[in-house]
Amino acid sequence: TRHDVIHPCDIYEDVAIAYGYNNITKLTPGTLTVAQQLPINKLTDQLREAVAQSGFTEALTFSLCSRDDVAAKMRKKIEDIPAVHIGNPKTLEFQVARTALLPGLLKTVQANRNMPLPLKIFEISDVVLKDGGTEVGARNERHLSALFYNKTSGFEIIHGLLDRIMQLLEVPRSEKKSSSGYYLETSEDDSYFPGRAAKIVAYGQVIGQLGVLHPEVITGFDLNLPCSAIEINIEPFL
């Protein structure tokens, strides 16, 4: 019935509290270790700096959002999305854990639409996806997303950002669409304008999407100018 006991270390903590932290004899550790940054966090920091140098402003959005944000507003069905639902949400704004960074960036643009154009924002953070193969039934995935909002769609800006990211990751452009590099493939994602979207394939696997957002998505977030966006999973590049 204890919700705070998940791993063995939680039981150790209870024993230590019962015994008394002040009663535990202080000892010098028997081994010498040197800490280092996790590879995923190191890559994230390097990409953050590079995207910021490309003229984009970093945003930090909530990890929780409403069902409409990830589904209806993005022209998708909630049943088709591997979202982790909150059991007893306090507000309608925090019903599910985000499965993509793009809705959060669109809400950021919505709150800053009176700022001078163009608006160029990005975020590199974790999304949460349902996964029955893990101990807790879900897993985190590190995504990079960027958004360009202006009087013109600016698809070439987002495409140029993708090329710059791949250049930094030392992933070559594959002209023959082989698994030795990355290339774009036509996509029919409902969130994007028909014929103006593409899947990003790197080393033989789909890592994300880019394109011009569908007008219904844009108006769903109370915006009235065209938008181009990209979202990719950066974990395959570790």
Side-chain angles (χ1 to χ4, degrees):
T1 58
R2 287 277 298 275
H3 294 294
D4 60 329
V5 176
I6 301 171
H7 302 289
C9 61
D10 298 318
I11 298 172
Y12 301 157
E13 183 187 28
D14 274 8
V15 171
I17 291 169
Y19 182 72
Y21 281 121
N22 293 332
N23 297 325
I24 298 173
T25 307
K26 293 180 180 177
L27 297 172
T28 304
T31 56
L32 181 67
T33 59
V34 178
Q36 64 177 7
Q37 198 174 15
L38 285 171
I40 184 68
N41 290 336
K42 185 176 181 181
L43 177 62
T44 297
D45 287 343
Q46 290 170 333
L47 286 175
R48 275 193 182 118
E49 188 173 345
V51 178
Q53 288 172 351
S54 299
F56 286 75
T57 302
E58 186 173 13
L60 189 62
T61 61
F62 290 117
S63 297
L64 300 179
C65 58
S66 70
R67 294 188 185 98
D68 283 348
D69 287 341
V70 295
K73 289 182 180 178
M74 300 300 291
R75 303 182 77 238
K76 294 180 180 179
K77 294 179 180 176
I78 191 68
E79 297 82 13
D80 299 334
I81 297 172
V84 176
H85 293 255
I86 308 301
N88 185 25
K90 298 293 182 187
T91 70
L92 293 176
E93 285 296 306
F94 302 134
Q95 294 174 313
V96 297
R98 64 183 175 190
T99 56
L101 300 177
L102 194 50
L105 291 182
L106 284 164
K107 287 168 77 174
T108 303
V109 171
Q110 178 188 349
N112 293 277
R113 59 193 166 189
N114 294 329
M115 298 293 286
L117 295 173
L119 292 178
K120 299 164 71 176
I121 59 172
F122 79 98
E123 182 173 10
I124 309 178
S125 294
D126 282 354
V127 298
V128 183
L129 304 170
K130 260 188 187 175
D131 187 350
T134 62
E135 184 182 354
V136 294
R139 61 184 168 84
N140 284 18
E141 198 171 87
R142 189 66 54 89
H143 279 203
L144 180 157
S145 184
L147 188 71
F148 181 86
Y149 179 73
N150 200 5
K151 292 177 181 177
T152 57
S153 66
F155 178 79
E156 68 283 357
I157 305 290
I158 290 296
H159 193 289
L161 179 64
L162 170 67
D163 288 342
R164 175 60 179 154
I165 290 167
M166 290 301 176
Q167 181 186 31
L168 292 166
L169 293 170
E170 297 181 352
V171 182
R173 182 77 180 264
S174 175
E175 300 295 342
K176 297 181 180 179
K177 296 191 175 182
S178 67
S179 58
S180 61
Y182 81 97
Y183 59 90
L184 300 180
E185 204 171 65
T186 306
S187 170
E188 296 300 325
D189 193 299
D190 290 335
S191 298
Y192 294 88
F193 198 86
R196 300 294 300 276
K199 288 185 287 191
I200 304 161
V201 184
Y203 298 133
Q205 69 178 95
V206 177
I207 59 160
Q209 294 263 143
L210 89 162
V212 180
L213 292 177
H214 196 282
E216 289 179 14
V217 173
I218 294 168
T219 55
F221 286 91
D222 295 328
L223 301 174
N224 54 14
L225 292 176
C227 253
S228 285
I230 180 174
E231 180 149 352
I232 61 171
N233 173 18
I234 63 171
E235 291 188 2
F237 303 109
L238 288 175

